[in-house]
Amino acid sequence: MEIAFRPNSSENAFLPEGLQTVVVDGTVYVAGVIIQHDKAGKHGSLWFYDNNVANNGSNGVHYVSLEGIGRPGFFRSTDIENTFVVGVENRLVLVTVDRGQEWTCRVKEEPLVVFEIENNEDSRIMVNDGTVTPNNDVICGFKDFLFDTKARKAFTKVLWSGGNTSTLFHEEVCANGNGFIDVDGEMAFIHVETASQKVLCTPYSTFQGHNTGNDTVDVKTEVLIDFKDASVFGDAVFHSALMPDGICVWKTEAGRSKLAVSVFDYRPDEVRDGQVIQFDITDSSSIHIDTVYKTPSSPRATHPAIIQRKDGGFDLWTTTADEGLLNTLKENNTPCKTDNIGALFRCVLEEEYWPAGQSHTLPIFHTGKKK
């Protein structure tokens, strides 16, 4: 993969995620979140990049600060122009972006929902990754900022379109990538639990339209890919410290279901190449790797996306993150190339893998209100 652009500061390279395309004032942008700008950061940002302006580099990125609002885990487009539903801290809010010489935002005062979290005075449990379901529910995966694998205090919640909330998964550490795609001929919810190093598959029919207000939904979930299993990796690099992070899913013209997983390398001792692994998950009994994409000298890949070019072709993009790696390398006086850490990477997607129709695009959230 090649560098699409480098963030304009170390703060903006700390933890980029949530890669997608969105529209602001009629212009299509590659966009995402910066969850926080340093280890102790209390707020993050949204960012927007005009992919159709040639060679604009980091100067083409517009950052929208969420200072005073909090740390965003993800955001999605809505049916209101320039307005997004954002998972931030323990709530979902509507944020309207104002494009001008200085990009700013306005937050609707009343949140869509505030998720109640017990014993969370230090805000260690926060929204991490989420998505909108085909039924217009909003799924929010939470993470424990301390990454405590023994306490397992995180979970995955859902805000049903009717306004109730439920818990889909309990006892998680870092709930991550979420998406919907056909597996074994049935619509499935794909979900990552990073600390467990598992990609999970849940038939959508087991919780579609649940909306009863019960705290917990009884879902049927199976392990689709176990990143602790070396045999899964094929030509990819395997190590026990490699964790599945963000995902994107799509269906090809040939009807094959594809899953790209950005791989976060927790090893702090040196700068390695990162990886995005593309799987074929059409049939759960014959999952295999199509190809492995490398992010040179940036080991902590965080979130992939399929992005359409102006000429009609498609690229695979991924965010990468610093998340403390630079400080550790500096403290250990490790000689290495660090310019690429936190950069965004892209490469041309082979035509046989091009998505059919709009299968690569993310669903929008319908607010139920007029524009």
Side-chain angles (χ1 to χ4, degrees):
M1 303 182 81
E2 64 179 12
I3 289 178
F5 67 88
R6 291 181 175 91
N8 60 0
S9 68
S10 59
E11 290 80 10
N12 289 333
F14 188 75
L15 193 48
E17 290 212 24
L19 197 58
Q20 61 193 296
T21 55
V22 302
V23 177
V24 178
D25 287 340
T27 299
V28 177
Y29 292 90
V30 179
V33 301
I34 301 169
I35 295 179
Q36 58 200 81
H37 296 285
D38 56 56
K39 186 175 181 179
K42 299 301 182 184
H43 78 276
S45 301
L46 310 182
W47 59 265
F48 303 84
Y49 175 77
D50 189 347
N51 188 34
N52 291 323
V53 178
N55 300 317
N56 58 10
S58 62
N59 291 329
V61 188
H62 306 281
Y63 295 96
V64 178
S65 174
L66 297 186
E67 186 172 3
I69 301 167
R71 299 166 294 177
F74 76 97
F75 72 102
R76 292 289 182 268
S77 300
T78 74
D79 55 354
I80 302 175
E81 186 178 17
N82 298 351
T83 296
F84 305 93
V85 57
V86 183
V88 57
E89 300 296 343
N90 66 330
R91 62 196 188 279
L92 287 172
V93 298
L94 292 177
V95 173
T96 300
V97 171
D98 296 316
R99 189 177 74 164
Q101 189 171 6
E102 294 283 340
W103 284 47
T104 59
C105 68
R106 294 173 283 115
V107 181
K108 185 177 179 182
E109 184 174 343
E110 183 180 350
L112 293 173
V113 66
V114 177
F115 294 102
E116 297 297 329
I117 304 174
E118 295 182 1
N119 302 318
N120 197 38
E121 293 81 4
D122 54 359
S123 300
R124 61 183 275 189
I125 310 299
M126 60 168 286
V127 173
N128 189 44
D129 196 352
T131 194
V132 179
T133 76
N135 271 10
N136 203 45
D137 316 302
V138 184
I139 292 175
C140 296
F142 284 72
K143 72 175 181 180
D144 180 353
F145 183 72
L146 299 183
F147 215 79
D148 188 337
T149 57
K150 293 182 178 179
R152 306 197 70 85
K153 295 181 65 173
F155 39 74
T156 296
K157 298 274 191 180
V158 57
L159 171 65
W160 303 106
S161 57
N164 296 318
T165 62
S166 300
T167 304
L168 289 180
F169 303 112
H170 292 274
E171 297 183 353
E172 296 187 300
V173 178
C174 184
N176 235 312
N178 299 289
F180 289 89
I181 194 72
D182 287 349
V183 178
D184 297 330
E186 180 181 4
M187 177 66 74
F189 173 53
I190 309 301
H191 175 69
V192 171
E193 210 295 289
T194 294
S196 301
Q197 296 174 271
K198 291 181 172 63
V199 179
L200 305 174
C201 179
T202 304
Y204 183 39
S205 59
T206 64
F207 66 92
Q208 180 180 8
H210 179 80
N211 200 21
T212 63
N214 293 339
D215 178 63
T216 300
V217 183
D218 185 17
V219 294
K220 175 187 175 184
T221 298
E222 296 182 354
V223 176
L224 193 68
I225 302 167
D226 187 348
F227 271 64
K228 296 190 298 294
D229 182 356
S231 67
V232 168
F233 277 69
D235 293 334
V237 174
F238 172 78
H239 190 276
S240 60
L242 300 182
M243 308 282 183
D245 204 307
I247 68 168
C248 64
V249 293
W250 71 100
K251 184 168 283 192
T252 68
E253 292 284 357
R256 307 299 298 182
S257 293
K258 301 299 180 181
L259 164 70
V261 182
S262 289
V263 182
F264 193 103
D265 189 337
Y266 274 86
R267 290 175 288 180
D269 58 325
E270 65 178 83
V271 175
R272 300 173 173 85
D273 293 344
Q275 301 180 99
V276 179
I277 305 177
Q278 180 181 308
F279 295 91
D280 186 301
I281 60 170
T282 309
D283 303 304
S284 61
S285 62
S286 58
I287 292 172
H288 58 272
I289 292 176
D290 287 328
T291 188
V292 180
Y293 308 94
K294 296 293 183 70
T295 57
S297 300
S298 191
R300 297 182 169 180
T302 53
H303 202 290
I306 302 298
I307 306 294
Q308 189 166 22
R309 300 189 304 270
K310 193 174 183 178
D311 65 7
F314 294 89
D315 293 337
L316 177 78
W317 287 55
T318 187
T319 50
T320 68
D322 163 16
E323 201 166 359
L325 178 59
L326 287 172
N327 279 342
T328 302
L329 294 170
K330 184 177 180 180
E331 290 170 359
N332 294 335
N333 295 315
T334 304
C336 56
K337 174 182 172 61
T338 60
D339 292 351
N340 289 359
I341 294 175
L344 274 84
F345 292 81
R346 65 184 171 196
C347 65
V348 173
L349 190 68
E350 293 185 22
E351 191 167 352
E352 68 175 297
Y353 301 136
W354 284 8
Q358 298 298 307
S359 66
H360 64 296
T361 60
L362 299 172
I364 69 171
F365 177 67
H366 293 271
T367 63
K369 298 180 180 180
K370 294 181 180 180
K371 297 181 181 180

